[in-house]
Amino acid sequence: VKAAMTIAKISPAEQLESLWLELDIGDIRTLPELSCRESVMRSVLAGPEGFEDEACFNTLWQTHHNAINRIVEASHCDEPVRIWWSDAPAEACGFCFAVSLLENASSRVTGVKLPSYFDEGENICVHDSLSSVPPDLFSRMLPLEQEICPALRRAVSYRWRKLVSENAPLRAMVNGRLISVPANFYDHALRTQFPDNEFVVAYAIGKTMGETQLGVRDWWYARRIRAMIKTGELTIVKSNPDFYRTLVRKSTMGNPER
């Protein structure tokens, strides 16, 4: 959302659409029809406390319906389209999905991809997704805009259809390529940040995100920690209504391969 608001300063707001579908996670079989995304979208909005806001969900749901329709319309009326994206799994999947909607568009389609780093003179600045990019850097990304030619659109669309047919629990970016992976794919990254003593859930999530910069959302790591508690790999020492504040420790027994 923050990225969309910032980009709106570069492109007129009425020409901007935001796809916040978290397509790296969960069912994608029915896309562009959105019914397969309801469970994931509700989980994201509910947060760690499981708070449900039906009005917020309905607004988000309608926003995405409108965005998808708007992209399809653009493909039929020769309207140029610019896609902002990065190698963060959710944004890379969103890019592939958007390109698949524009596969046969006769209009010009371009992309602006988040660079691996920004040169800040004596230092470099690294961001793992558009959501972490400060406003002043977006205008510096515009010179990176590249055309997505029809041949490339066909190739990207083919890859997306392959991912849809596989419909894995997760899609991850590995060596610059989106692939289907199991639900426990990122568990090792989490485990390496677990200290031997007791720790707060938020500590492990924050350390994992900071050390790995894989572009994975915090709520997914929280979900995996819940799974580790359920299998006995982690034990709750002191619970908290805010799951991120829950105190846990590694169990003496547990199956890390689950």
Side-chain angles (χ1 to χ4, degrees):
V1 175
K2 183 182 76 173
M5 292 175 65
T6 304
I7 294 171
K9 297 177 182 179
I10 300 173
S11 302
E14 65 273 12
Q15 297 180 11
L16 179 69
E17 299 293 346
S18 177
L19 287 176
W20 181 65
L21 290 169
E22 305 293 294
L23 296 179
D24 58 323
I25 296 170
D27 193 353
I28 55 175
R29 286 174 297 178
T30 68
L31 291 172
E33 198 279 315
L34 285 176
S35 61
C36 63
R37 302 307 300 161
E38 181 173 354
S39 176
V40 169
M41 291 169 69
R42 286 187 180 279
S43 295
V44 175
L45 287 174
E49 296 84 19
F51 175 75
E52 295 186 10
D53 186 332
E54 194 65 21
C56 182
F57 172 80
N58 289 336
T59 298
L60 183 65
W61 191 256
Q62 189 59 51
T63 296
H64 283 95
H65 272 292
N66 294 343
I68 291 172
N69 290 337
R70 180 80 173 82
I71 294 171
V72 172
E73 287 173 7
S75 72
H76 295 323
C77 64
D78 294 336
E79 181 180 353
V81 178
R82 177 193 294 143
I83 305 171
W84 298 76
W85 67 294
S86 76
D87 275 338
E91 293 175 9
C93 285
F95 169 79
C96 291
F97 173 54
V99 169
S100 73
L101 296 176
L102 297 162
E103 180 178 4
N104 298 312
S106 58
S107 57
R108 184 171 186 257
V109 180
T110 61
V112 181
K113 184 180 180 183
L114 179 68
S116 56
Y117 68 91
F118 290 91
D119 187 347
E120 301 292 350
E122 294 183 357
N123 302 298
I124 62 170
C125 183
V126 178
H127 297 277
D128 59 8
S129 70
L130 290 175
S131 62
S132 68
V133 176
D136 62 295
L137 291 184
F138 276 89
S139 59
R140 289 170 54 183
M141 291 170 57
L142 273 175
L144 303 176
E145 183 176 23
Q146 294 184 332
E147 183 170 0
I148 306 171
C149 66
L152 181 55
R153 275 183 262 158
R154 288 193 296 271
V156 171
S157 299
Y158 173 81
R159 183 61 194 153
W160 179 245
R161 287 192 290 270
K162 182 75 161 52
L163 292 170
V164 170
S165 68
E166 293 167 348
N167 200 38
L170 282 180
R171 284 153 288 280
M173 186 68 79
V174 178
N175 294 328
R177 182 178 175 83
L178 274 175
I179 63 171
S180 298
V181 296
N184 63 359
F185 182 75
Y186 298 112
D187 287 7
H188 177 72
L190 263 175
R191 292 189 184 101
T192 58
Q193 305 304 324
F194 293 165
D196 292 331
N197 54 337
E198 300 169 354
F199 60 94
V200 175
V201 167
Y203 168 84
I205 294 174
K207 284 280 288 181
T208 303
M209 294 180 71
E211 293 292 334
T212 63
Q213 295 193 331
L214 296 172
V216 180
R217 309 296 194 200
D218 62 289
W219 72 271
W220 177 256
Y221 288 130
R223 176 180 286 193
R224 293 308 302 163
I225 289 178
R226 286 185 187 276
M228 293 176 187
I229 292 171
K230 186 175 181 179
T231 60
E233 183 180 344
L234 294 175
T235 299
I236 294 178
V237 176
K238 185 177 181 180
S239 61
N240 191 295
D242 180 350
F243 180 67
Y244 282 50
R245 296 172 181 259
T246 297
L247 189 66
V248 298
R249 61 173 172 80
K250 291 189 288 187
S251 304
T252 55
M253 297 182 65
N255 185 357
E257 298 304 319
R258 292 183 182 180

